[in-house]
C-alpha cells in the first residue's frame, strides 16, 4: 500500500496557494509558514486528510500578526486593568493609524527645522488644565513619580504619610519606587491618621518635597484623618500630589476623587496622574504644575528614558481634543438606557436561557474605590462564561451565583451586535 503521507502537499506548494500567499503578505511569511508546518505535522499524524491541508491552514491563521485579541468587556468594570484599562475613542484610534508612518512629531514642516516633540499633545493637555503653568508626559504615572524623585530629591528626604505608602499592583510599591531613585522616605503619622503637625515636624534642610498620594485603589474608613493639600502647600517646600486616576477636572459622579485642576488650585507644585484611567486615553504619566519645576523635570537626563512615543502622543492629543472617550461614556450612561439595550438583546436571543437583571458596575483601574454604578446585565447560565471568553469575538463577563452576567455598562452600544452573535455561537 502506498504511504498516504506522500500525498501531503509540500510547504512551498501550500505557501503558493493564492489565499495563503495573500495571508503571508499581511501576516508575514514566517508566521504563515509556522502554521503550515503545524498542519503538515497534523496530517502526518493522520489527524487531517492530505487534501484538507490548505483549508486547515486558512482556518488556523490568526486575524493579525499580533497575539493580542480584541475583547468585548462585559465585566462591569469600566477601567479594567487586565483588559488594557481605557479603551480608546475612534478619534484616538484614527490618530494612531495616522501616526504609524512618518509624522511631524519633532519636525516643523513650515521651517524645515526641528520642533518641540509632541507639541500638539502638550498644548492640548495644557488647554485642558489651564491652572498648570507647564505640562510634561512620560510613559506612566509610576514614571512620573520616579522622575519627581530623581529631579527633586536625589539623596534627600521625601516626606509622606504612612497611610499613603501604597502598593500599585503586581507587587510594585511606592516606597520601593522612590527609594530606587536614591531618595529617603520620611514617614509621618500613622496608618489611619496623619495631621499637618506631623508633616511640619518632619520638614528640614534635607527635605526634597512632600508627597501626597491618593489611595485610589482602596479606602480607609472609621477613625481617620489626613492633611489637606491646602495645608501642605503652606509648609514652604515643593508639594507633589499623586492623584492617580487621571481626572483632570471635578466630575459630578466622582465627588471624592481628586482632580488635577483642584489640586493645583490648592497649591500643589506638581500633580502626577495616569492617562489610561479616568481620562480615557493611552497609557501615559501626566505631569502638570509650576513651570520652572516642570521644566526641571523635563530636562532631567532620565526624562529621555521615560519619554513616550509618537503613538502615545497622537492618541493622547486626540483623546483630549476629540469626542467623549468610551470611559466617560460608560460612566455617564443612563441606567434606563442600559436596561433597554439588555432587554433588546434578550429578546433577539430567542430560546437562549437569558434574562435581564439589575447589576452594579465599578469604576476600576485603581480609581474611585467604593463608587457603585447602577447597571443592567444579560444573565446566562454559568457555562457560557468560558465559551464566551474563548469564542470569536472573545467576551469577558463575570460569574455570580452560577450565572454569567454580561454587564451592559462596559459594552459600547456598537458592540451589541457582536455580543449577540457571540452568545448565539455558544448555544
Amino acid at each position: 500500500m502506498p504511504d498516504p503521507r506522500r500525498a501531503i502537499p509540500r510547504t512551498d506548494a501550500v505557501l503558493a496557494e493564492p489565499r495563503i500567499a495573500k495571508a503571508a503578505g499581511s501576516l508575514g511569511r514566517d508566521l504563515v509558514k509556522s502554521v503550515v508546518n503545524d498542519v503538515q505535522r497534523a496530517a502526518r499524524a493522520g489527524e487531517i486528510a492530505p487534501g484538507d491541508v490548505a483549508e486547515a491552514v486558512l482556518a488556523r491563521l490568526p486575524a493579525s500578526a499580533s497575539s493580542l485579541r480584541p475583547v468585548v468587556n462585559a465585566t462591569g468594570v469600566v477601567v479594567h486593568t487586565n483588559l488594557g484599562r481605557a479603551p480608546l475613542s475612534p478619534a484616538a484610534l484614527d490618530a494612531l493609524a495616522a501616526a504609524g508612518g512618518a509624522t511631524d512629531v519633532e519636525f516643523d514642516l513650515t521651517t524645515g527645522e526641528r520642533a518641540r516633540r509632541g507639541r500638539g499633545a502638550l498644548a492640548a493637555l495644557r488647554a485642558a488644565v489651564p491652572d498648570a503653568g507647564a505640562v510634561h508626559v512620560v510613559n506612566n504615572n509610576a514614571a512620573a513619580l520616579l522622575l519627581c524623585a530623581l529631579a527633586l530629591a536625589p539623596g534627600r528626604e521625601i516626606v509622606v504619610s504612612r497611610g499613603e505608602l501604597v502598593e500599585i499592583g503586581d507587587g510594585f510599591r511606592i516606597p520601593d519606587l522612590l527609594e530606587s531613585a536614591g531618595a529617603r522616605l520620611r514617614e509621618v503619622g500613622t496608618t489611619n491618621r496623619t495631621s499637618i503637625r506631623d508633616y511640619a515636624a518632619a520638614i528640614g534642610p534635607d527635605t526634597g518635597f512632600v508627597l501626597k498620594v491618593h489611595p485610589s485603589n482602596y479606602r480607609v474608613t472609621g477613625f481617620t484623618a489626613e492633611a489637606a493639600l491646602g495645608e501642605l502647600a503652606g509648609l514652604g517646600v515643593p508639594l507633589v500630589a499623586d492623584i492617580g486616576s487621571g481626572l483632570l477636572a471635578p466630575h459630578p459622579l466622582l465627588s471624592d476623587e481628586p482632580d488635577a485642576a483642584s489640586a493645583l488650585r490648592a497649591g500643589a507644585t506638581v500633580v502626577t496622574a495616569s492617562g489610561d484611567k479616568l481620562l480615557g486615553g493611552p497609557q501615559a504619566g501626566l505631569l502638570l504644575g509650576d513651570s520652572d519645576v516642570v521644566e526641571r523635570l523635563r530636562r532631567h537626563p532620565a526624562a529621555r528614558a521615560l519619554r513616550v512615543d509618537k503613538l502615545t502622543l497622537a492618541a493622547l492629543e486626540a483623546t483630549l481634543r476629540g469626542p467623549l472617550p468610551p470611559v466617560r461614556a460608560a460612566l455617564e450612561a443612563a441606567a434606563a438606557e442600559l436596561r433597554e439595550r439588555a432587554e433588546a438583546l434578550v429578546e433577539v436571543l430567542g430560546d437562549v436561557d437569558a434574562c435581564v437583571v439589575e447589576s452594579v458596575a465599578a469604576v476600576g483601574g485603581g480609581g474611585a474605590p467604593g463608587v457603585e454604578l447602577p447597571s443592567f446585565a444579560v444573565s446566562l447560565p454559568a457555562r457560557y462564561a468560558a465559551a464566551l471568553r474563548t469564542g470569536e469575538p472573545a467576551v469577558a463577563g463575570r460569574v455570580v451565583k452560577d450565572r454569567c452576567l454580561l454587564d451592559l455598562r462596559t459594552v459600547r452600544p456598537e458592540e451589541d451586535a457582536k455580543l449577540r452573535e457571540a452568545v448565539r455561537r455558544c448555544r
Side-chain angles (χ1 to χ4, degrees):
M1 294 290 290
D3 188 343
R5 290 176 295 182
R6 293 181 179 274
I8 297 172
R10 300 190 317 272
T11 301
D12 56 351
V14 179
L15 289 171
E17 202 275 354
R19 294 171 297 171
I20 295 176
K22 181 179 180 181
S26 58
L27 297 175
R29 181 179 173 85
D30 290 344
L31 188 155
V32 173
K33 185 177 179 180
S34 69
V35 175
V36 171
N37 292 336
D38 288 342
V39 172
Q40 288 172 324
R41 281 192 288 270
R44 293 188 191 101
E47 299 170 7
I48 297 173
D52 294 336
V53 166
E55 294 301 326
V57 168
L58 290 167
R60 294 190 185 189
L61 287 175
S64 74
S66 169
S67 62
L68 292 176
R69 291 183 60 195
V71 178
V72 176
N73 177 12
T75 64
V77 179
V78 176
V79 183
H80 199 301
T81 297
N82 302 134
L83 297 181
R85 291 187 176 168
L88 296 179
S89 67
L93 293 174
D94 288 343
L96 284 175
T103 72
D104 60 344
V105 63
E106 210 169 314
F107 184 69
D108 189 321
L109 293 171
T110 301
T111 64
E113 298 178 353
R114 182 172 182 161
R116 174 78 178 272
R117 181 179 177 84
R119 57 201 178 278
L122 296 174
L125 182 57
R126 178 72 178 77
V129 190
D131 295 279
V135 299
H136 186 57
V137 181
V138 290
N139 51 32
N140 61 20
N141 191 38
L145 272 181
L146 180 66
L147 188 57
C148 288
L150 288 168
L152 305 179
R156 304 181 71 189
E157 290 183 345
I158 297 174
V159 180
V160 60
S161 168
R162 287 187 175 88
E164 298 173 4
L165 298 176
V166 303
E167 184 172 310
I168 54 180
D170 197 24
F172 291 97
R173 296 173 173 176
I174 293 292
D176 299 336
L177 177 75
L178 299 174
E179 289 173 344
S180 73
R184 302 189 306 276
L185 294 188
R186 180 71 180 273
E187 301 174 20
V188 298
T190 62
T191 302
N192 59 318
R193 293 178 67 84
T194 306
S195 69
I196 187 62
R197 295 189 303 275
D198 296 318
Y199 289 95
I203 300 296
D206 245 8
T207 302
F209 61 85
V210 169
L211 174 62
K212 179 68 174 169
V213 180
H214 174 57
S216 58
N217 55 6
Y218 68 94
R219 288 193 305 168
V220 177
T221 61
F223 187 55
T224 63
E226 62 178 299
L229 281 175
E231 296 177 293
L232 297 173
L235 293 175
V237 295
L239 171 60
V240 176
D242 172 15
I243 64 170
S245 60
L247 198 61
L248 299 186
H251 192 288
L253 294 175
L254 309 170
S255 57
D256 293 331
E257 194 72 8
D259 66 275
S262 298
L264 291 170
R265 290 171 193 162
T269 309
V270 175
V271 172
T272 72
S274 296
D276 57 349
K277 295 182 180 179
L278 294 178
L279 178 60
Q283 177 180 296
L286 313 180
L287 290 146
L288 313 99
D290 179 84
S291 56
D292 291 338
V293 175
V294 172
E295 179 64 13
R296 185 175 167 187
L297 298 173
R298 189 181 76 83
R299 297 308 305 167
H300 190 278
R304 173 74 182 210
L306 303 175
R307 80 176 189 178
V308 294
D309 69 344
K310 61 181 181 178
L311 300 179
T312 300
L313 291 168
L316 178 61
E317 181 178 0
T319 299
L320 291 164
R321 296 194 188 280
L324 200 67
V327 165
R328 290 287 299 275
L331 288 175
E332 298 170 10
E337 175 191 339
L338 300 178
R339 180 173 59 188
E340 290 177 4
R341 289 172 53 202
E343 290 172 345
L345 279 169
V346 168
E347 183 177 355
V348 297
L349 287 175
D351 58 352
V352 174
D353 178 14
C355 62
V356 176
V357 297
E358 292 187 3
S359 178
V360 177
V363 175
V371 173
E372 296 184 343
L373 303 170
S375 188
F376 285 87
V378 174
S379 174
L380 300 164
R383 64 178 177 82
Y384 275 79
L388 286 167
R389 287 198 310 272
T390 56
E392 184 61 45
V395 177
R398 69 180 192 271
V399 176
V400 179
K401 297 180 180 179
D402 295 325
R403 298 290 290 183
C404 173
L405 301 188
L406 305 179
D407 195 310
L408 272 293
R409 184 169 287 279
T410 52
V411 178
R412 286 172 282 181
E414 60 268 26
E415 294 177 313
D416 284 358
K418 288 183 180 180
L419 189 62
R420 179 183 66 242
E421 293 308 311
V423 173
R424 281 177 168 169
R425 292 191 184 103
C426 295
R427 292 183 183 183

